[in-house]
């Protein structure tokens, strides 16, 4: 993170409700303004996540997505408008975020996250928030963030259910990674997609807002981290459950060669 800026008078007014929080204050808000956060996906999770991070004053927001806005996206991807159908999602998101907070810098990565570019892109940010919709990207991010020692806040949704956790296994004992829960990714046809099984639009808002909260907490070092815990949300039952995650000594990412090389 870069050196902390002095808050301007307009910034003090804009972020007044943050600044009066003892856990944030002026110093914490300055840290948010100096922060660089990468969001994977400008879709269902990325839409509310990006909007709340922009409103919070995250100084540099990166967003990577190689898709274009489709009419079927608008039921849950609230960052996009009907007029944006056919537009690249990163450009639609950039427009919306500029409307929310013109002070922030938005970096649009209009490309697919792959093994060949992941380290280059992730290296430029302080923290990563994963709102992707496929296992290949989730596992790639898990491994890359571990190697680069970047905190990863990851969420997923399907039908009426959501889950969220934070991974920073490079910090050692008590901090597992995704592969500590599921060592290998299931095949893409083993779990139905949102297009196949459906998803409640508002559920994306719930989990995306939770991701934004966890990103802010990690940047400021406040509250209790979700590292080592998987939170499950059942929208139909309006209930939350929590599962403790143990760090696996034989984990292929954080318990083996990758961990020792980090």
């Amino acid at each position: 993170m870069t050196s902390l800026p002095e808050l301007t008078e307009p910034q003090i007014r804009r972020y007044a409700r943050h600044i009066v929080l003892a856990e944030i204050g002026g110093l914490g808000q300055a840290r948010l303004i100096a922060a660089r956060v990468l969001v994977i996906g400008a879709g269902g999770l990325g839409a509310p996540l990006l909007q709340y991070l922009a409103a919070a004053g995250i100084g540099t927001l990166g967003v990577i997505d190689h898709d274009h806005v489709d009419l079927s996206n608008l039921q849950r991807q609230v960052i996009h408008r009907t007029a944006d159908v056919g537009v690249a999602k990163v450009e639609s998101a950039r427009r919306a975020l500029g409307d929310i907070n013109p002070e922030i810098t938005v970096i649009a990565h209009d490309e697919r996250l792959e093994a060949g570019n992941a380290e280059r892109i992730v290296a430029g940010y302080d923290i990563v928030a994963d709102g992707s919709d496929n296992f290949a990207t989730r596992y790639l991010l898990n491994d890359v963030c571990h190697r680069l020692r970047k905190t990863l806040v990851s969420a997923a949704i399907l039908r009426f259910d959501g889950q969220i956790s934070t991974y920073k296994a490079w910090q050692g004992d008590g901090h597992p990674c995704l592969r500590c829960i599921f060592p290998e990714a299931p095949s893409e046809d083993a779990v139905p997609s949102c297009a196949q099984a459906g998803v409640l639009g508002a559920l994306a808002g719930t989990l995306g807002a939770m991701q934004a909260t966890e990103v802010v907490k990690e940047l400021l070092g406040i509250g209790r981290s979700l590292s080592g815990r998987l939170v499950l949300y059942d929208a139909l039952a309006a209930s939350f459950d929590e599962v403790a995650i143990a760090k696996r000594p034989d984990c292929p990412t954080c318990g083996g060669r990758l961990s020792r090389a980090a």
Side-chain angles (χ1 to χ4, degrees), residues 5 22 28 32 36 54 58 68 96-97 101 103-104 114 122 146 163 180 190 195-196 202 215 244:
L32 297 181
R36 298 174 61 87
I58 302 300
H68 291 73
L97 299 177
N101 191 343
E103 293 187 348
I104 68 171
E114 299 172 330
V122 170
H146 179 64
Q163 65 181 47
C180 290
Q196 295 168 322
V215 167

Side-chain angles (χ1 to χ4, degrees), residues 18-255:
H18 269 179
I19 293 170
V20 298
L21 293 170
E23 294 84 354
I24 299 181
L27 180 60
Q29 186 60 54
R31 287 175 176 164
L32 297 181
I33 292 171
R36 298 174 61 87
V37 176
L38 175 64
V39 173
I40 312 301
L45 291 167
L49 169 58
L50 284 162
Q51 290 178 94
Y52 272 112
L53 292 180
I58 302 300
T60 302
L61 273 177
V63 53
I64 181 167
D65 200 309
H66 194 49
D67 200 4
H68 291 73
V69 180
D70 185 82
L71 188 62
S72 65
N73 300 148
L74 303 182
Q75 160 258 10
R76 64 201 176 282
Q77 299 179 18
V78 294
I79 201 169
H80 309 299
R81 307 167 301 180
T82 302
D84 294 321
V85 170
V87 175
K89 286 186 178 180
V90 292
E91 293 304 326
S92 174
R94 195 208 312 253
R95 180 270 314 158
L97 299 177
D99 288 343
I100 291 171
N101 191 343
E103 293 187 348
I104 68 171
T105 298
V106 179
I107 301 175
H109 300 275
D110 188 2
E111 54 189 309
R112 195 180 307 280
L113 192 74
E114 299 172 330
N117 63 12
E119 289 202 10
R120 169 180 57 82
I121 294 172
V122 170
Y125 296 89
D126 303 313
I127 190 168
V128 179
D130 181 18
S132 64
D133 60 358
N134 65 87
F135 291 113
T137 300
R138 292 175 197 164
Y139 279 78
L140 172 63
L141 277 171
N142 178 74
D143 297 348
V144 168
C145 286
H146 179 64
R147 281 197 297 270
L148 298 180
R149 296 175 177 259
K150 304 289 185 179
T151 297
L152 172 63
V153 178
S154 182
I157 55 174
L158 185 67
R159 290 178 48 78
F160 299 96
D161 300 309
Q163 65 181 47
I164 181 172
S165 189
T166 294
Y167 303 113
K168 44 184 179 180
W170 42 270
Q171 291 191 2
D173 292 343
H175 298 286
C177 76
L178 174 64
R179 291 187 189 271
C180 290
I181 317 172
F182 308 109
E184 298 295 336
S187 62
E188 291 295 341
D189 58 358
V191 179
S193 67
C194 289
Q196 295 168 322
V199 63
L200 178 68
L203 177 66
T206 302
L207 270 294
M210 290 179 68
Q211 276 187 285
T213 299
E214 296 306 315
V215 167
V216 170
K217 286 168 54 183
E218 293 292 337
L219 287 170
L220 300 181
I222 61 175
R224 183 184 175 198
S225 174
L226 274 181
S227 181
R229 299 184 291 148
L230 180 67
V231 172
L232 308 173
Y233 175 59
D234 181 339
L236 290 182
S239 66
F240 287 91
D241 291 301
E242 182 179 304
V243 178
I245 310 168
K247 192 176 180 73
R248 291 171 48 128
D250 61 342
C251 173
T253 295
C254 68

